[in-house]
Amino acid sequence: MFLYTLMLINLDKETEPRKSSLVKFAAVIGGGCFLVTIVASLKALGTSQPVILQNPDLGLVKNLGKVLFNEFLLPFEVSSILLLSAMVGAVLLATKEPKSAA
């Protein structure tokens, strides 16, 4: 996903079309709404009581590995193939063909 983000960034600033003031205004309004949402979420976040674990083996990486590679092996492998194909696709789309001398 990081490669797709890099691919979508236009590094050629000269060919970038100028943004209208309406788009800039909408971006400011959207950013303000996002900021208000974040602030409201942080205000609503209260202090909680400490969690006391009943099972001392809870949260161990060994247990996560057992579950991941036994019960969820197929979804794990499918997601790894999906991410690998996404990386290869991003690299192929991001590479520019060399200009031939005419």
Side-chain angles (χ1 to χ4, degrees), residues 96-102:
K96 296 180 180 177
E97 295 180 14
K99 295 181 180 177
S100 60

Side-chain angles (χ1 to χ4, degrees), residues 68-81:
L68 184 64
F69 290 115
N70 287 334
E71 294 177 34
F72 297 106
L73 182 62
L74 181 64
F76 180 72
E77 292 295 328
V78 168
S79 64
S80 66
I81 291 172

Side-chain angles (χ1 to χ4, degrees), residues 24-59:
K24 291 178 184 178
F25 181 71
V28 169
I29 296 297
C33 290
F34 180 69
L35 182 66
V36 167
T37 304
I38 294 296
V39 169
S41 297
L42 290 176
K43 277 185 153 183
L45 183 68
T47 59
S48 62
Q49 299 298 323
V51 176
I52 300 172
L53 297 177
Q54 303 297 331
N55 184 0
D57 290 336
L58 188 66

